[in-house]
Amino acid sequence: MDYKKIRAKIDSDTRTPKELFTSMCERMKVMSGNTISDHEAACAVRRLIGLCETILQIPEASRTIPIETSDNAE
């Protein structure tokens, strides 16, 4: 999916914040193989949202993290 399609999908999403949070919790539970509780899923989503907020606050020039490969590993 290219950027324009992703942006169009985001812009057309009409869910409320509560509906979006609930959807994310359900996805988190499915991704865990339904091995976590509703409470654990909600906590995981809150942590994920916090991580995203932290990343978005980092200046763009600082966001690039060099990937270590066997060629440059010491």
Side-chain angles (χ1 to χ4, degrees):
M1 197 178 268
D2 65 38
Y3 173 77
K4 288 181 181 180
K5 288 182 181 179
I6 293 170
R7 186 66 205 191
K9 187 170 183 169
I10 291 169
D11 289 342
S12 67
D13 192 341
T14 60
R15 293 177 286 182
T16 65
K18 184 176 181 177
E19 290 170 329
L20 185 57
F21 184 81
T22 300
S23 175
M24 291 175 71
C25 288
E26 289 303 315
R27 295 249 345 206
M28 192 66 72
K29 286 180 69 174
V30 168
M31 289 177 9
S32 76
N34 290 313
T35 59
I36 61 175
S37 68
D38 290 343
H39 176 75
E40 291 169 318
C43 288
V45 169
R46 285 187 193 100
R47 286 191 300 271
L48 177 60
I49 291 169
L51 172 65
C52 293
E53 288 173 340
T54 299
I55 290 169
L56 291 173
Q57 290 175 2
I58 297 172
E60 191 171 330
S62 302
R63 289 186 196 162
T64 304
I65 299 172
I67 299 173
E68 186 175 299
T69 65
S70 58
D71 295 338
N72 64 6
E74 293 182 23

